């Protein structure tokens, strides 16, 4: 099993941030892993609308999962899969503003935030075999995680 996903936008409410996922099937057991990386940079140039302020922001996020699933054939064409993954995510964001105040002095403000998340994710899914070696599948996952945020 090999899955490739390309995303220009990472929505934290949609938890499939993995750019690539791979799995090995051994009889009824599937061992799998997934990895994702997302980076974004944005610059807002000075204008009258933002008070002649330069705004820069950058964000990077990495996601990793490793897990196992048990496969049950419910008919010759259908499979049911239940499993559990260990998940880990890290995100770092930095924001910078720069403007000239009333005294003609340059004011620069920098703010950064980090987020780390670890936990487990039970999964449940099903698939339909197109051929004996190829199938279409979907799954749902519920993440149970602990996280930590810090600012600098």
């Amino acid at each position: 099993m090999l899955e490739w996903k390309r995303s220009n936008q990472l929505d934290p409410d949609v938890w499939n941030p993995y750019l690539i996922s791979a799995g090995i099937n051994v009889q009824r057991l599937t061992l799998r892993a997934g990895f994702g990386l997302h980076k974004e940079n944005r610059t807002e140039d000075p204008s009258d609308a933002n008070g002649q302020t330069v705004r820069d922001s950058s964000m990077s996020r990495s996601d990793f999962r490793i897990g196992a699933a048990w496969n049950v054939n419910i008919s010759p064409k259908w499979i049911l899969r239940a499993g559990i993954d260990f998940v880990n995510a890290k995100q770092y964001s930095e924001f910078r503003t720069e403007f000239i105040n009333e005294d003609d002095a340059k004011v620069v403000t920098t703010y950064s935030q980090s987020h780390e998340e670890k936990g487990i994710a039970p999964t449940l899914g099903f698939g339909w075999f197109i051929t004996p070696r190829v199938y279409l599948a979907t799954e749902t996952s519920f993440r149970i995680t602990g996280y930590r945020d810090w600012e600098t």
Side-chain angles (χ1 to χ4, degrees):
M1 170 179 76
L2 183 64
E3 172 191 357
W4 177 262
K5 176 188 154 204
R6 175 155 170 79
S7 173
N8 291 334
Q9 187 108 7
L10 181 64
D11 183 350
D13 294 327
V14 178
W15 281 109
N16 187 14
Y18 306 105
L19 291 175
I20 189 165
S21 295
I24 298 173
N25 293 319
V26 181
Q27 295 181 353
R28 292 185 177 260
L29 181 67
T30 299
L31 302 175
R32 62 193 201 162
F35 178 76
L37 181 65
H38 179 81
K39 292 186 176 231
E40 186 176 310
N41 294 307
R42 182 177 294 163
T43 299
E44 183 181 333
D45 292 326
S47 68
D48 290 336
N50 67 13
Q52 298 299 322
T53 301
V54 176
R55 290 185 175 100
D56 293 317
S57 64
S58 64
M59 185 273 292
S60 64
R61 180 182 175 99
S62 62
D63 289 89
F64 174 75
R65 76 175 180 187
I66 187 166
W70 186 254
N71 305 310
V72 177
N73 293 325
I74 53 179
S75 80
K77 287 281 194 179
W78 289 94
I79 188 171
L80 178 67
R81 174 179 286 161
I84 192 162
D85 292 334
F86 167 77
V87 294
N88 186 17
K90 293 182 181 177
Q91 180 173 316
Y92 177 77
S93 302
E94 185 173 279
F95 308 94
R96 182 179 170 276
T97 59
E98 178 181 314
F99 66 94
I100 306 294
N101 68 9
E102 295 88 14
D103 299 330
D104 288 332
K106 183 191 275 187
V107 177
V108 178
T109 305
T110 303
Y111 168 77
S112 64
Q113 183 179 20
S114 296
H115 174 84
E116 184 175 15
E117 183 176 0
K118 292 180 183 177
I120 59 171
T123 62
L124 182 63
F126 63 93
W128 181 72
F129 283 94
I130 299 169
T131 71
R133 297 182 64 89
V134 177
Y135 65 94
L136 295 174
T138 187
E139 74 177 27
T140 186
S141 178
F142 180 74
R143 295 169 68 105
I144 304 165
T145 60
Y147 64 91
R148 146 180 105 128
D149 289 321
W150 62 95
E151 301 170 0
T152 57

